[in-house]
Each structure stands twice: as C-alpha cells, then as structure tokens.
Amino acid sequence: MQAAELLVECLEREGVEHVFGLPGEETEDLLFALRDSTVDFVPCRHEQGAAFMANVHGRLTGEAGVCLSTLGPGATNLMTGVADANLDKAPVVALSAQGGLERLHKESHQALDIVGMFEPITKWNTRISDPEIVHESVRKAFKLAEHEKPGATHLELPEDVAAEETDAAPLSTGSVRRPDPDVQSVERVLDLLDGAEHPLVIAGNGAVRTRAARELRSFVAEADVPVVSTYMGKGAVSDADPHSLMTLDSGDDAEASAAIESADLVLTVGYDIAEHDPAGWNPSAETTIVHVDSEPAEVYEHYNPDIEVVADPGATLRALTSACSDIDAAYDDAWYADLRDDIASDVSERGSGDDDVTVRAALPSLRDALADDDVLVSDVGNHKMAIAQNYPTYEPNTCIISNGLASMGIAVPGALAADLAVDESVVAVTGDGGFLMNAAELETANRLGCGFTVVLFVDDDYGLISEKQEADRGEHFGTELDNPEFGAFCESFGVEHYRPEGWDAIDEAFADATGSDDLSVVEVRLD
C-alpha cells in the first residue's frame, strides 16, 4: 500500500472519526486514502478553523483531534489553533504536507521549514521521511498528544513519500496508566490539612481534563473545604455546590480573591500558571501551597509549593478523601459562607426593564435556557471575562474557554466540533470581532447538518482593548469596527437569525434558539 494509505489506516486504528482541514495538491494521495476509509474528511474554510475544531474535539473527548493542511501558507494558517491547543493542554495531532524531498535542500515554491516552525508550539513533531516509519510516527504522535499533560503534536508528510509503497502495518494502541501518589506525600498533605483553619482548593484545567472532577467533588464534600476554579477549571465542582466560590475573579467586590487571601492553605489541583498568574492570588509569595498534578510545578517566585504530589490527580484526591476521617480538623465555613452568598447573588442578577443591555446582564438568561450538561464555547474578548467570572457551570468540560494563548476566532469552529462530539446542545458565545474571523465556518456547519446556536454580542468595537485603553489613557484608538447587516449575512449562509430588542425578547430568543436543532445566530446589540 502507499504510505498515505498506511497513515490513514493508522488513523482508523487510533479511532479517529473526523479529520478537519483543507485540500492541497501535495495532500492528494492522503485525501483519496481518506475517501476510501472510515474517517470523514471535513473540508473547512480556513486552516485556523480546522485547527480550532481539532482543539475543541480534543478538550471535550480527551482523544486527539486531527487537522490537516497543505504545505506553505496552509501550514502557517494552522499554527494559531495548534499553539492554542498546546498551551491549553488539548490533545491534537496536526498533519501537514510538504514538497518532495528532492527539492527541500534549495529555495522552492511554497517550501518552508514547517517542522522547525512547529517545534516550539508542539510537544513533539517530525517529518515522515521514509514510508517505513509511518506507523511508528503516527502511534508516537497520538501517544504523546493524549498522555498527561496533553498537547499538540505534528507530522509532516512530503508528497513523494506519501506515494511510495510500504509493507508496514499500524501498531496496536494502548493507554498509559498514571502513577498513584506515594504514601509519604499524602501523609504530609494530611498533616497540613490537620493544622489549617482556612484551607481552600484551586481547581485548574487538569481537574476537568484528567476526569478527576468526581474525586475532587468527593474530597471537597468530605474535607468540607471551599473551591475556586480557574477559567479552564470551571465545572470541576458544580457552581451550585455551596463550597464553590466560582472562579478566581468572581464577585463584584472580588469575593473569590478575598477568600484566597484569607486562606492559610491552598491545594491546587491540575493547575498551570499559564491559566492565571499566581502573582494575582499570592502576591507576597507566602501562601502555603500543595501542588497536586501529573507534572511538577513550574519554577516561579509566586508559585513555589511546599509539597508537590506528582501523580494522577484523581488517585491523589481519592487517597486524601479516604484519609480525611483520620484527621481532627473541623473547619468553620463562616469565613467564606458570606462570600459565597454574595457571589451567588451577583451572578443571578439579570437584565430587565430599562436596564442597559450588557453581556454580564444577559448571562443569567442564557444560563436558564441551557441544561446543566449543555456545552458553551466562548470566544475571546470582553464577553469571555464575563463568562469566566459570572457564568455558573455545573459539569466538567461544559464551558470551553481559550485561556493559554487566548485566541480570538475559536468559538464558531469550536462549536462545530462540539456539536459533532457531544449529544447535548451547544452554544458559541462570541463578539463581532472574533465572530468574523472564522464566520465562514458557518458554511461548513451547514453543509454537515450541524445544529448549534451562536450568541453574537455586537458593539462595533474591539471592546476589551477599548476598555483597557480607556482605563490607562481615558480614551481609545484603533478599535472601532464597521459590521455587515448580520441578518442578510446569516440568510446568505442559510442560518436562522434573531435580533431581539429588549430583555423579554432576549429571553425568548435564547430559549427558542437553544431549544431548536437548527443552526442559528442570536444577535444581541450592546448598549
């Protein structure tokens, strides 16, 4: 068989259902091999959108999403979504074409050092320079992408190698078990818990990514400690739980930050410092910290843990939970209960009457329209900050936020991937800036028969940047936008369009759109 056919058989062995990408001359053999396989090739409108689709698929399923580009500009377009996946610890395998090996030693049409470009934004990447190494390369790419901590890997397949013959066969797949914690480390953590008066948990990305949420919920209930999530850890513990203080910046008066400041012991679970700078919650670098994760903590003055339990986070939490009855600590919730009440009251305040239309005031209405396990994919901008701080999340991996690279344009392609990956309703929340970056993927979604809702907040501005400029200088520049007539825009894509005016109409539009199986856009003009 051809090397390209072997690569596709390897994808089948890995359980891949979709490859998101764009065709190119140099991917011809690979595309026709996909045509004759069980893997669906999804032609997208931009390689960045394809990479975002693979990214969100990986975050939701724990299985590597796959994206494909041709060489040159196709590969450079792929890079933002791949870098985003790597920083957000989403398993992704990126495939790119390359010109024939015989021309790579010299200046050549569209030829770039793609492997060199992808090196700093992936866990591992390589050129498949021989058809006899296809099976090993694919297995390694998936194994490294999916193993904790997950991330992006990349394979380059030159067009002449793709056409060569090989007798190799796909390698069998298997999982790698993460280690259990050592007894001494658990006992040291229990000693700190026994001596603490105000312990607190910070739940990070790894708390939802490693499926550790169930164990974290058991630990929080048994130890009776409050929990604050990072933006990417939302839903690890339900925000309906009285122990939840939502996210690090939640509360009109920074109640969540106040709780962390009052804590005398902080246990971080699956936390990466790229999620939220520890200088913001540990400015004096004096907080006693226990780091629970699958990898050691990054070296940083403001995050220098007293104890690091480097093991499977779920197994560590299970060990701590089973031993909690052996310690004498009985924590009084009075130190954080009022803060919890203030946060819960704040996030439930909805817009009504003559209130200005803002993202913050619209979120309770959107939350009411969705079930606990429905999935929201947030773009980056002012609305992301409101969602991160004020959108109650009840289940793991039901609020997808790009936070490591914080890439605009992820919401629409991400929602498409989510709709293919889960049975629940899916909502993309975006602003007019991020929406038009990858709005063409609405055509892809329509072609595939996807049904999800896009909530489009419109202010004719890059609002988050304006806000920061206003705070720094009292004025803003270079941020204002002109937009198309979104109703006509949606009609041209065959997409249902709503433009509600007033709070009652907004409530009704959210309920109608999210309750439908149709692809729709709800345009909300902001005051």
Side-chain angles (χ1 to χ4, degrees):
M1 70 177 76
Q2 285 186 328
E5 293 170 331
L6 173 59
L7 191 150
V8 171
E9 285 196 7
C10 291
L11 297 182
E12 291 178 312
R13 179 66 65 88
E14 298 291 342
V16 175
E17 296 181 352
H18 301 94
V19 171
F20 306 100
L22 270 73
E25 294 177 38
E26 291 76 14
T27 60
E28 182 176 311
D29 288 310
L30 190 56
L31 288 171
F32 279 91
L34 285 168
R35 184 196 64 178
D36 298 329
S37 75
T38 61
V39 181
D40 288 333
F41 176 64
V42 178
C44 303
R45 304 310 297 251
H46 196 283
E47 292 88 355
Q48 184 184 103
F52 282 144
M53 292 173 197
N55 179 339
V56 172
H57 173 91
R59 284 185 61 176
L60 287 174
T61 67
E63 300 169 351
V66 182
C67 51
L68 170 68
S69 79
T70 188
L71 76 171
T76 58
N77 284 344
L78 208 63
M79 290 181 68
T80 295
V82 172
D84 185 278
N86 205 46
L87 278 178
D88 281 350
K89 309 301 187 293
V92 165
V93 174
L95 306 174
S96 69
Q98 183 56 280
L101 294 176
E102 82 287 346
R103 65 183 177 96
L104 296 186
H105 68 287
K106 59 188 176 184
E107 185 175 340
S108 183
H109 178 63
Q110 292 191 318
L112 296 170
D113 180 7
I114 299 173
V115 173
M117 291 191 306
F118 275 75
E119 193 277 331
I121 62 170
T122 56
K123 292 180 69 176
W124 175 78
N125 88 125
T126 194
R127 171 182 296 156
I128 300 177
S129 56
D130 188 316
E132 299 302 319
I133 66 170
V134 168
H135 56 324
E136 292 180 344
S137 300
V138 174
R139 179 80 278 269
K140 183 172 182 178
F142 277 84
K143 183 176 183 177
L144 293 180
E146 295 173 352
H147 183 63
E148 283 293 325
K149 290 183 177 184
T153 59
H154 165 251
L155 297 174
E156 177 189 85
L157 182 63
E159 61 178 330
D160 53 349
V161 177
E164 292 180 19
E165 295 293 316
T166 177
D167 294 326
L171 297 178
S172 60
T173 62
S175 59
V176 178
R177 190 182 186 280
R178 294 182 291 273
D180 288 340
D182 66 281
V183 175
Q184 281 187 326
S185 294
V186 172
E187 289 177 347
R188 291 176 64 200
V189 176
L190 290 170
D191 286 342
L192 287 181
L193 284 168
D194 197 20
E197 293 184 359
H198 297 161
L200 177 144
V201 171
I202 293 179
N205 187 8
V208 294
R209 188 182 63 247
T210 57
R211 310 299 188 236
R214 181 177 61 185
E215 303 298 345
L216 176 59
R217 293 179 179 205
S218 297
F219 171 73
V220 166
E222 180 69 24
D224 198 19
V225 296
V227 58
V228 177
S229 297
T230 65
Y231 296 171
M232 297 182 69
K234 288 170 68 67
V237 171
S238 171
D239 287 331
D241 189 313
H243 295 96
S244 172
L245 300 174
M246 293 193 66
T247 60
L248 289 155
D249 298 321
S250 290
D252 256 1
D253 296 316
E255 284 87 352
S257 296
I260 300 173
E261 186 177 336
S262 299
D264 56 2
L265 173 64
V266 171
L267 283 79
T268 65
V269 178
Y271 169 77
D272 296 312
I273 64 173
E275 295 186 68
H276 198 291
D277 191 342
W281 58 266
N282 186 24
S284 65
E286 295 178 354
T287 302
T288 301
I289 298 173
V290 173
H291 174 86
V292 176
D293 205 359
S294 58
E295 289 187 359
E298 176 66 90
V299 175
Y300 184 33
E301 177 184 0
H302 294 277
Y303 190 71
N304 191 22
D306 297 79
I307 299 175
E308 298 188 42
V309 187
V310 180
D312 177 76
T316 300
L317 291 165
R318 187 163 54 249
L320 290 172
T321 302
S322 63
C324 274
S325 58
D326 297 334
I327 62 176
D328 297 327
Y331 308 120
D332 183 359
D333 68 357
W335 71 277
Y336 71 85
D338 288 344
L339 300 175
R340 155 73 190 180
D341 290 343
D342 288 346
I343 292 171
S345 175
D346 178 48
V347 302
S348 64
E349 291 182 7
R350 58 196 303 142
S352 63
D354 295 328
D355 292 346
D356 285 347
V357 176
T358 65
V359 176
R360 165 67 190 78
L363 288 179
S365 176
L366 181 59
R367 178 69 274 185
D368 288 349
L370 297 173
D372 289 1
D373 52 0
D374 288 340
V375 176
L376 182 151
V377 182
S378 174
D379 221 312
V380 173
N382 251 341
H383 56 281
K384 167 193 163 181
M385 306 306 295
I387 289 167
Q389 297 164 17
N390 300 289
Y391 178 77
T393 306
Y394 305 123
E395 296 296 336
N397 268 333
T398 57
C399 184
I400 303 299
I401 293 177
S402 169
N403 202 55
L405 193 63
S407 306
M408 292 180 70
I410 192 173
V412 171
L416 183 156
D419 190 64
L420 293 176
V422 303
D423 294 328
E424 290 74 24
S425 294
V426 174
V427 174
V429 180
T430 184
D432 46 356
F435 175 69
L436 285 175
M437 290 184 178
N438 281 311
E441 301 301 349
L442 287 176
E443 186 279 321
T444 310
N446 213 16
R447 179 173 9 106
L448 295 176
C450 293
F452 58 85
T453 301
V454 178
V455 175
L456 171 60
F457 290 109
V458 179
D459 61 0
D460 303 316
D461 199 88
Y462 289 116
L464 183 61
I465 306 305
S466 288
E467 184 177 293
K468 291 183 179 295
Q469 289 181 357
E470 291 282 355
D472 291 341
R473 296 171 176 265
E475 58 182 344
H476 64 272
F477 172 75
T479 62
E480 295 178 3
L481 303 169
D482 288 327
N483 281 306
E485 204 290 300
F486 285 113
F489 182 90
C490 290
E491 182 181 1
S492 71
F493 281 94
V495 175
E496 186 76 19
H497 175 256
Y498 300 77
R499 185 174 173 175
E501 300 287 346
W503 287 110
D504 289 343
I506 289 173
D507 292 346
E508 183 177 350
F510 284 166
D512 287 350
T514 59
S516 168
D517 292 330
D518 295 331
L519 187 61
S520 60
V521 173
V522 181
E523 176 188 353
V524 180
R525 299 288 310 190
L526 300 178
D527 292 330

